[in-house]
């Protein structure tokens, strides 16, 4: 007998006041033994044990959700499956009933999941690039990889601003202000009204000796949030640095 074949996420619609609602399931093809389904919550996590359903019931009541790419984290244990009688399939036991998910919430959850997947992938690429920086023969290739990462646009959304901020802060602490600047600018592109983005960019510019431009960003941050006490202190620090190093103040190089 072949092992169970994972089919993806399926939904079981039900008519409720205000429209049709969906309950989501992981689904497996058990070949001659029918199908197995496992009820999910609104974070695509199992809420109940997997149950066996007949082929006829599966075809009649379950619909594929190809836009939802969630997958189970563990193998299906066929031996532990219990049969789910037809009469119970349409009305899951109240103890394990999942929250009702309308189409708008499903789209939101799927977008959030995709956004997180992109972030996980890019953070791993950043981690690997930092490791390559420590190897002299791979340093230039690592720098190129970081530059490409800073320029990435595919599947990037404003939700990724925190990721780019973290990348910039890490590079600034590693004395790589030019690369840090690229990531700082991306944060600002994604969230131009974010006072923290202006402040973090000012810190990078200050480290590069671009004091006038750094001060401009701090003033913008202060306009966006006049209650933040660290902004005036940063402005005073920039002014002091400019006085101590009058010859160092230079405009940021265009990129």
């Amino acid at each position: 007998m072949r092992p169970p074949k994972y089919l993806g996420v399926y939904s079981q619609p039900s008519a409720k006041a205000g429209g049709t609602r969906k309950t989501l399931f992981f689904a497996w093809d058990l070949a001659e033994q029918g199908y197995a389904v496992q009820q999910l919550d609104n974070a695509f996590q199992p809420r109940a044990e997997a149950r066996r359903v007949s082929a006829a019931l599966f075809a009649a009541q379950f619909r594929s959700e190809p836009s939802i790419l969630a997958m189970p984290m563990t193998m299906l244990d066929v031996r532990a499956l219990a049969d789910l009688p037809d009469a119970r399939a349409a009305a899951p036991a109240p103890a394990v009933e999942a929250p009702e998910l309308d189409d708008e919430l499903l789209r939101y959850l799927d977008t959030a999941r995709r956004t997180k997947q992109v972030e996980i992938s890019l953070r791993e690429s950043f981690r690997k690039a930092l490791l390559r920086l420590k190897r002299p023969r791979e340093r230039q290739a690592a720098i190129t990889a970081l530059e490409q990462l800073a320029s990435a646009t595919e599947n990037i959304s404003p939700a990724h601003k925190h990721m780019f901020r973290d990348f910039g802060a890490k590079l600034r602490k590693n004395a790589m202000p030019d690369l840090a600047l690229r990531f700082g600018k991306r944060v600002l592109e994604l969230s131009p009204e974010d006072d923290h983005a202006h402040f973090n960019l000012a810190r990078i510019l200050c480290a590069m000796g671009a004091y006038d431009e750094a001060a401009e960003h701090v003033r913008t941050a202060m306009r966006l949030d006049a209650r933040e006490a660290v902004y005036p202190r940063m402005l005073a620090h920039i002014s002091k640095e400019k006085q101590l190093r009058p010859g160092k103040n230079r405009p940021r190089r265009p990129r």
Side-chain angles (χ1 to χ4, degrees):
M1 181 181 68
R2 69 167 172 80
K5 179 182 178 182
Y6 177 65
L7 299 176
V9 175
Y10 277 62
S11 63
Q12 186 182 54
S14 59
K16 298 288 184 180
T20 300
R21 305 292 182 176
K22 296 179 180 179
T23 302
L24 298 181
F25 299 81
F26 288 143
W28 293 266
D29 181 356
L30 303 179
E32 68 275 8
Q33 298 186 62
Y35 295 81
V37 294
Q38 186 173 28
Q39 198 171 6
L40 306 177
D41 63 16
N42 58 4
F44 307 120
Q45 298 300 311
R47 285 188 62 89
E49 297 298 324
R51 310 296 294 272
R52 193 191 313 271
V53 298
S54 69
L57 179 65
F58 187 79
Q61 296 194 8
F62 293 86
R63 297 291 178 267
S64 175
E65 297 289 345
S67 65
I68 302 176
L69 304 180
M71 294 185 65
M73 300 300 293
T74 58
M75 295 287 290
L76 177 68
D77 185 358
V78 179
R79 295 170 300 177
L81 290 176
D83 290 325
L84 186 60
D86 291 15
R88 291 173 56 197
V96 296
E97 186 174 358
E100 296 170 349
L101 301 174
D102 58 25
D103 289 341
E104 183 177 355
L105 180 55
L106 283 172
R107 287 192 294 270
Y108 169 79
L109 291 171
D110 190 47
T111 298
R113 181 189 57 77
R114 291 173 184 268
T115 298
K116 189 61 177 178
Q117 286 180 333
V118 170
E119 179 175 343
I120 290 171
S121 176
L122 293 184
R123 284 188 181 274
E124 178 63 12
S125 296
F126 183 80
R127 184 189 69 81
K128 290 179 178 178
L130 287 187
L131 290 175
R132 296 175 69 190
L133 282 174
K134 301 175 182 179
R135 305 165 188 158
R137 293 183 179 180
E138 299 184 40
R139 183 175 176 82
Q140 187 53 53
I143 291 174
T144 300
L146 288 168
E147 290 173 346
Q148 292 173 346
L149 191 58
S151 302
T153 58
E154 186 175 1
N155 297 321
I156 297 299
S157 70
H160 292 117
K161 67 178 183 178
H162 302 293
M163 174 187 70
F164 285 113
R165 178 203 62 197
D166 294 345
F167 292 169
K170 186 73 172 180
L171 290 166
R172 178 179 59 81
K173 293 175 182 177
N174 280 272
M176 302 188 73
D178 287 339
L179 279 172
L181 183 64
R182 287 174 176 260
F183 288 102
K185 290 176 64 177
R186 286 307 308 279
V187 178
L188 206 58
E189 289 172 7
L190 293 171
S191 185
E193 298 301 310
D194 187 331
D195 57 295
H196 293 100
H198 284 279
F199 176 73
N200 290 329
L201 191 57
R203 296 182 69 181
I204 296 169
L205 289 164
C206 183
M208 299 176 70
Y211 301 122
D212 290 340
E213 193 172 354
E216 290 176 11
H217 282 285
V218 176
R219 294 189 186 99
T220 300
M222 292 171 67
R223 288 196 296 271
L224 293 169
D225 185 357
R227 296 171 298 178
E228 178 55 68
V230 73
Y231 296 162
R233 294 200 296 268
M234 182 61 181
L235 193 61
H237 171 75
I238 293 171
S239 178
K240 181 178 179 180
E241 288 293 304
K242 183 178 178 180
Q243 292 175 1
L244 292 173
R245 300 172 176 82
K248 187 180 178 181
N249 186 46
R250 56 186 175 85
R252 173 175 51 85
R253 293 195 303 271
R255 287 283 176 178

